[in-house]
Structure formats: structure tokens, C-alpha cells
Amino acid sequence: MKFVHRFAYYLVGFVIGCFFVALVFSGKDTRCNYFPNARVLNDLRNKPFHYDIEASRRLSEDWVDTLDIKNTLTNGDVDFDKSNIKEEGGKLYIIYGKTSKDVDITLEVINYTDKAVLRNIIKK
């Protein structure tokens, strides 16, 4: 069998294989969350998110809004030295981020098994 024929068979098989791989992965919500920071933030984003009284009070002020909270839960940094502390039946996580006005904020989020509660927003 000539090289051209073998190469043509290879290309046909490769194209069919790519088609099936694209078909399998196109319908799934696939994420690669291998690092602890990404796994914690993904877990907090996928649970029902509630606001504590203190956090609601901070949100009523002008310097922070819910879009800043969502961006921090997407792009923030979890401080694991101060986090993963058992508190009130859940685990407390300290997350650092920035607002749209470039103000440094710190979120205190309690992660329960069925929900996440934003306890406080601290302006740095």
C-alpha cells in the first residue's frame, strides 16, 4: 500500500474521531478545576447564594454591588491560611478581590452543604 493511500485512510479516521469527540464534549458543561482556589470558587458559585444582614447592609452602600461580588467569586483569591475553618455548621472562606472601581475587598463566605452565605464584605 502506498504512502498516499495510508495517509488518506489516516485522515479519514482522524476526521471521524474528531467529529465524535466534538459531539461528546459539546453537550457537557466541562470544567478543569484542578487547583484548590478554582474548586472552592466553583463550589461557591454553583450553590444557592444568600446574603447575611451585615453583607446586605454593605451592599446598600455605594462602593460595592452584587456584580462585584460575582466577579470576586469568579476571579478572586482564597486565603487558605485563614479559611476552611468550621463555623456555624459550615466552613468559613476568606476571598480577596476587587470592585469595578478598583477598590480591594475581602469577602467572608460560609460554605454549607446546601448553600453559601456571604457573611461580610470588608473594604481594604
Side-chain angles (χ1 to χ4, degrees):
M1 189 180 271
K2 294 183 181 180
F3 176 73
V4 175
H5 295 276
R6 286 186 298 190
F7 189 68
Y9 281 125
Y10 169 77
L11 281 179
V12 169
F14 183 74
V15 168
I16 291 172
C18 286
F19 174 74
F20 282 117
V21 168
L23 185 71
V24 167
F25 285 120
S26 67
K28 293 187 178 183
D29 187 19
T30 309
R31 292 187 185 100
C32 297
N33 294 328
Y34 296 115
F35 295 110
N37 192 56
R39 289 175 42 202
V40 168
L41 293 177
N42 186 39
D43 184 42
L44 293 173
R45 281 192 312 267
N46 289 332
K47 290 182 179 180
F49 202 76
H50 302 283
Y51 299 97
D52 198 3
I53 295 169
E54 183 65 29
S56 297
R57 201 172 307 142
R58 301 283 180 163
L59 284 172
S60 66
E61 298 173 5
D62 232 5
W63 58 274
V64 68
D65 61 357
T66 56
L67 185 62
D68 297 329
I69 303 300
K70 289 180 183 180
N71 288 337
T72 301
L73 289 177
T74 303
N75 302 319
D77 294 319
V78 180
D79 187 358
F80 286 101
D81 291 334
K82 298 178 184 175
S83 297
N84 209 4
I85 300 169
K86 293 192 184 238
E87 190 166 315
E88 301 175 13
K91 293 184 179 181
L92 175 68
Y93 288 99
I94 306 296
I95 304 167
Y96 301 118
K98 289 187 181 260
T99 65
S100 59
K101 299 174 184 173
D102 206 32
V103 176
D104 291 331
I105 60 172
T106 302
L107 304 180
E108 294 178 358
V109 180
I110 300 176
N111 187 13
Y112 297 101
T113 56
D114 57 341
K115 65 181 177 178
V117 177
L118 178 63
R119 185 171 78 175
N120 196 4
I121 306 167
I122 302 169
K123 182 188 220 181
K124 290 275 181 165

